[in-house]
Every structure is written in C-alpha cells, then in structure tokens.
Amino acid sequence: GWAYYQWDDLPSASAYLARAESVARSWGDRTGKVAAAVLQALVLSADGPEGAAKGLRLLRAVRTDLRGWTPPVYLTTLLATAESRVLAARGDFDDALGSLDGSPEDSLVRARMLLARGAPADALAELEAGAERLGGDGVRARVEAGVLEAVARHELNDAIGADVAFRNALTLAAPN
C-alpha cells in the first residue's frame, strides 16, 4: 500500500492497506495492524479535509492501542509525524505544529507546511537546520528532505539547485 500511496494511486493504496490490516488482525500481528492503520490515515488525509478528519480519527484510535507497547523503530518514526501530517492536510497548520513531539523528522513536517504557506526560503532554512538531526541511517527521511529541498529551490527560481537536490534524493533512493 505504501508504494501506491507514494505513486498517488490512493484507491489501490487503500485497498492494499485494508487487506494488510485484515491479515495482520487475523494473525494477531500488532505491528502490521498499527502500520496499516497509520498508513491508511495518511491515505485518507490525501483525499481532502473530510478524508483528513477520518484519518485523524483513525490515528487517534491507533494511539489508544499503543498504550504499554513500544513499536519498532521504523514504525516509531512514522508515528511521530503522522498526526501532524494529517492535521496539515486538513489545513490545521497551527494544530499540526503543536502536535510535533521533537522527533528528528519534525523539520520535514515544518518544511512541508512552510512550502504550503508559500514560504520556500523559510522551508529551506528549516531543512538545513534539521539535516543534522536526521542522521545517516534515516534514508527515507533524507530522501524526503531532498525532494522538499528541490521543491523549495524550484519555488525560489533556483533551477540548478533544484536539479542537484532532486538528483541527490534520487541517488539516495536508488537501490544499491
């Protein structure tokens, strides 16, 4: 479902995530169930304000299921910014900023919101300030940062800088 979400094929993403959640539930796989639900919330949020409201309800239900359980690291990073991403998709930028919890990926969410508000220079500054916190092992986050940098540079009419940033992001994303 994640790949279809990234490709903006929301109906397919939703269908695959529903199947994944169903299988995870039948097998008692808490990690799979939580991951599918969080990704489903992001898919819903891409469908406008009503979808974002549904996604927010789903995320909040997932959070109640997390009590007393420590998710794996790869899921922790997704959980850290999911609510703020859904709130931003709904247009609630102030609430989205308020929901950030200090995770290394917060700078990515702030940069997205700054771009949405038409402040590409501020988005670039946020990405530069947060780059060190992303670390070397967060490839997905560094790819996202590179794409956001490319968008910001494009908005600032820096075609060469946008091209370099995008090529760097693609290089990071390419399989070895």
Side-chain angles (χ1 to χ4, degrees):
W2 179 252
Y4 288 100
Y5 170 68
Q6 295 297 323
W7 294 332
D8 201 27
D9 182 351
L10 302 181
S12 295
S14 185
Y16 279 105
L17 290 168
R19 287 173 58 193
E21 194 272 336
S22 176
V23 169
R25 184 181 305 277
S26 68
W27 281 88
D29 177 6
R30 189 175 198 181
T31 301
K33 186 178 103 175
V34 169
V38 171
L39 292 173
Q40 189 70 270
L42 294 174
V43 168
L44 287 167
S45 73
D47 199 24
E50 279 187 35
K54 290 176 187 175
L56 192 57
R57 285 192 298 275
L58 179 58
L59 268 181
R60 291 184 174 157
V62 166
R63 290 217 185 267
T64 62
D65 287 345
L66 294 178
R67 293 190 184 123
W69 180 63
T70 303
V73 173
Y74 64 88
L75 191 53
T76 302
T77 58
L78 182 61
L79 283 166
T81 61
E83 185 170 343
S84 58
R85 290 173 189 264
V86 171
L87 285 165
R90 196 171 72 176
D92 296 335
F93 294 117
D94 293 334
D95 289 343
L97 287 170
S99 73
L100 295 173
D101 64 1
S103 78
E105 294 192 18
D106 286 359
S107 63
L108 301 176
V109 176
R110 280 193 291 275
R112 280 178 176 261
M113 286 188 266
L114 289 164
L115 285 169
R117 287 182 168 172
D122 293 339
L124 262 182
E126 181 63 45
L127 290 168
E128 289 169 8
E132 193 172 298
R133 293 186 63 214
L134 291 177
D137 58 344
V139 174
R140 187 201 58 78
R142 290 187 301 130
V143 169
E144 182 177 350
V147 171
L148 291 171
E149 178 186 351
V151 170
R153 291 190 182 284
H154 175 77
E155 291 295 314
L156 293 168
N157 296 316
D158 176 5
I160 294 171
D163 183 59
V164 169
F166 192 64
R167 287 177 188 271
N168 288 341
L170 288 176
T171 301
L172 277 172
N176 295 329

